[in-house]
Amino acid sequence: MRRTSFMYVLIEERPDVDIKHISQFHLIDSDEFLLLRAFMALQYFPSSLLDLLQSDKPFSAAMERRRRLPQFRKISPTAVHPLYWEEMLQTPAVIIMTGNAIPEWLAKLSEMRPVGLLTSSQRTLQKSKSLTSVSAGLLKGFSDIREFYRVIGELIERLKAVPPLVAQIPEGLLTIETSDLLALRPRLDFIDYLPSPQPWAGRSAAILYNRLSNAAEETPLLDPTFDVKPLLAPAMLNWATAACGVLMAREYGVGIPRTAGVKPREVNQLAKLLRSPSPSDEKFDHFMNIGRKVSGQGDISRPFLTVPVPRLDTLRQPTEGMNPDLIKPLHRRMAANAMSDFLRGKERSKFDSSEAKDVYVTSQHTILQEQRLLACEAVWLSSIDDRVPIQLRPFRGNVPSAFRDFMNALANNSKKSSELFQALEIALAGSLPPGVVDSVLKRASSVLLFSDYPYEWTLVDDRPLCLYRPTARVPLSMSSWYNISA
């Protein structure tokens, strides 16, 4: 059996005491903050060695890139489970991703076989040079993709000296110039790279759009001043996926369904145009026009909606077993101020003390990092069944108080429970932006919600009913990396 999938190993950097960071939105393991840089880079990387080779079915390959994101394991820097160790010995493409920690077991592993390493730390990169058979690269700035292809090219060359591992590598990778893997990668070259907007302006959708085209060589960010059309990237992903879908059907000769909204003749004409020397702009326009038709004139029928909700309850009253990192009343007050300002899109510049300023700035950074983490998680979760991710700006509204009142009434068997549930239902309905409700949710055939808000509940007569529509919800507090990597 050939092991052609990449084995990405993310190194946990846990503190001496296992704690949970109290954040303004939900709870995140401290090591997940440290590994966020690696997690963000991983979004752009291929999941298999086969993804490095040209395919005679380019649109099928594009859909596979969009659907199948890299799988990864989180492993301690001090010990490895025997099953993982055996897997690392037998899998050709092993890539270690870390920040400040070089695993204690890496020296032994690299003596037994070549290994790739990607780190966000210049210091770690220098240390890795003393190890045997380690091809190392630096995750810095916008060079993640270039560094990955350089490292994997070096790794493949080193693997040629290890017969049991090189025998599992696709033959095509052994006959091409591995230093040119980036230039030779399969891609839909008529689609330009889409710079990543802010998380609440379509970042998750932009990442999947770029995976579909595989056109990116760098990972620049879109200037925040252009984040004025949060549904643009989701719409482009929706159209591009729909167009790829009918072209994939053509590649396999299964025919175009009558419900697709386009005729086989139109798809054949598009395929002929895309093979021609016509300008890329013309190809792109026709490609996206077919996508609009196939998707029902642009409707997003299967949205994956991320709704970040501030969790002030954890800030004000930590639950049992938590180790809070905000102890002083001043710290909690400044963190709450930072959250309120972030929701309004503001940032204050005057503070009573340097201590207050430090907590405020750190809290705003924490909130932003959490939005980035949610965007990463949404990429993995939404790709499972080809959904289109849409992330809202974080907000609060009246839902927390309405939900608290309803739960208290329910716990006390109060006669007001029905009335308070109706108030909660109204608060939930009013919390989503009208633009998202009218242009996305009302037109969707099914909805998947990624939130701590119980949007899937509604009231039928006097009874609350769950999953009244084809709707499901993944609570943020359940979004562990272990669940996503599975």
Side-chain angles (χ1 to χ4, degrees), residues 138-148 217-219:
L138 183 65
L139 300 175
K140 183 179 181 181
F142 303 139
S143 63
D144 295 358
I145 297 174
R146 293 183 182 278
E147 278 293 273
F148 168 81
E217 295 188 5
E218 294 185 344
T219 56

Side-chain angles (χ1 to χ4, degrees), residues 45 94-99 101-103 106 110 113-140 143-158:
F45 296 165
V94 174
I95 305 293
I96 309 297
M97 302 186 73
T98 186
I102 291 185
L106 182 56
S110 63
R113 52 143 308 154
V115 180
L117 182 141
L118 292 170
T119 176
S120 55
S121 166
Q122 183 73 48
R123 182 179 175 185
T124 302
L125 180 69
Q126 293 300 320
K127 287 183 178 180
S128 69
K129 293 181 179 179
S130 63
L131 298 173
T132 304
S133 299
V134 172
S135 301
L138 183 65
L139 300 175
K140 183 179 181 181
S143 63
D144 295 358
I145 297 174
R146 293 183 182 278
E147 278 293 273
F148 168 81
Y149 278 94
R150 183 187 64 77
V151 167
I152 196 61
E154 288 183 10
L155 178 60
I156 290 173
E157 288 299 315
R158 284 178 162 169

Side-chain angles (χ1 to χ4, degrees), residues 150-450:
R150 183 187 64 77
V151 167
I152 196 61
E154 288 183 10
L155 178 60
I156 290 173
E157 288 299 315
R158 284 178 162 169
L159 287 169
K160 291 178 179 179
V162 187
L165 294 178
V166 76
Q168 302 180 62
I169 296 177
E171 186 176 349
L173 287 176
L174 303 176
T175 58
I176 63 176
E177 182 56 56
T178 52
S179 62
D180 291 336
L181 285 178
L182 177 62
L184 297 173
R185 75 194 185 283
R187 61 190 183 277
L188 304 181
D189 55 7
F190 60 90
I191 301 179
D192 286 337
Y193 169 71
L194 183 63
S196 295
Q198 293 287 359
W200 51 85
R203 176 171 296 185
S204 300
I207 296 298
L208 290 174
Y209 177 86
N210 290 325
R211 286 192 66 84
L212 191 78
S213 69
N214 208 26
E217 295 188 5
E218 294 185 344
T219 56
L221 302 176
L222 188 67
D223 190 294
T225 58
F226 293 99
D227 290 341
V228 294
K229 296 182 178 180
L231 294 180
L232 178 60
M236 292 179 69
L237 171 64
N238 190 42
W239 301 334
T241 301
C244 273
V246 292
L247 288 166
M248 180 178 71
R250 182 182 180 276
E251 287 176 340
Y252 281 101
V254 298
I256 309 302
R258 292 183 178 181
T259 57
V262 293
K263 298 178 180 180
R265 173 177 51 83
E266 295 178 88
V267 180
N268 290 334
Q269 289 175 345
L270 173 61
K272 183 178 179 180
L273 174 66
L274 296 178
R275 291 194 303 268
S276 74
S278 300
S280 293
D281 289 350
E282 182 182 352
K283 295 179 180 179
F284 178 77
D285 289 343
H286 280 75
F287 177 80
M288 296 301 265
N289 185 49
I290 290 293
R292 289 189 191 94
K293 290 182 178 180
V294 175
S295 62
Q297 296 303 320
D299 287 351
I300 298 176
S301 62
R302 294 166 58 79
F304 181 96
L305 191 64
T306 300
V307 188
V309 180
R311 291 291 303 274
L312 287 178
D313 54 333
T314 61
L315 189 63
R316 294 168 177 164
Q317 188 174 3
T319 58
E320 186 177 353
M322 256 186 222
N323 225 343
D325 49 3
L326 297 173
I327 304 297
K328 298 181 181 179
L330 170 65
H331 294 175
R332 295 183 182 180
R333 186 170 66 253
M334 294 310 300
N337 290 341
M339 183 275 295
S340 299
D341 289 348
F342 190 89
L343 299 185
R344 294 195 297 264
K346 297 181 178 180
E347 186 173 347
R348 64 186 65 187
S349 57
K350 295 182 179 180
F351 302 91
D352 294 335
S353 66
S354 58
E355 181 182 17
K357 179 180 180 181
D358 180 65
V359 174
Y360 179 91
V361 172
T362 301
S363 297
Q364 282 227 329
H365 179 71
T366 298
I367 299 167
L368 179 58
Q369 291 296 87
E370 288 198 344
Q371 299 311 296
R372 292 169 177 168
L373 177 59
L374 290 179
C376 288
E377 292 175 334
V379 168
W380 263 263
L381 293 170
S382 66
S383 69
I384 292 172
D385 58 350
D386 291 341
R387 290 186 177 271
V388 176
I390 300 171
Q391 183 167 332
L392 303 183
R393 281 197 68 97
F395 65 90
R396 277 187 63 77
N398 298 323
V399 174
S401 57
F403 186 70
R404 183 180 61 248
D405 293 343
F406 169 66
M407 293 302 293
N408 287 337
L410 206 61
N412 294 306
N413 200 24
S414 171
K415 295 181 179 180
K416 292 184 177 181
S417 296
S418 178
E419 176 185 341
L420 290 173
F421 188 89
Q422 289 178 337
L424 173 61
E425 185 185 20
I426 293 172
L428 282 168
S431 66
L432 293 174
V436 171
V437 174
D438 296 335
S439 62
V440 178
L441 300 186
K442 285 184 177 179
R443 302 178 183 182
S445 60
S446 68
V447 181
L448 187 61
L449 289 153
F450 184 31

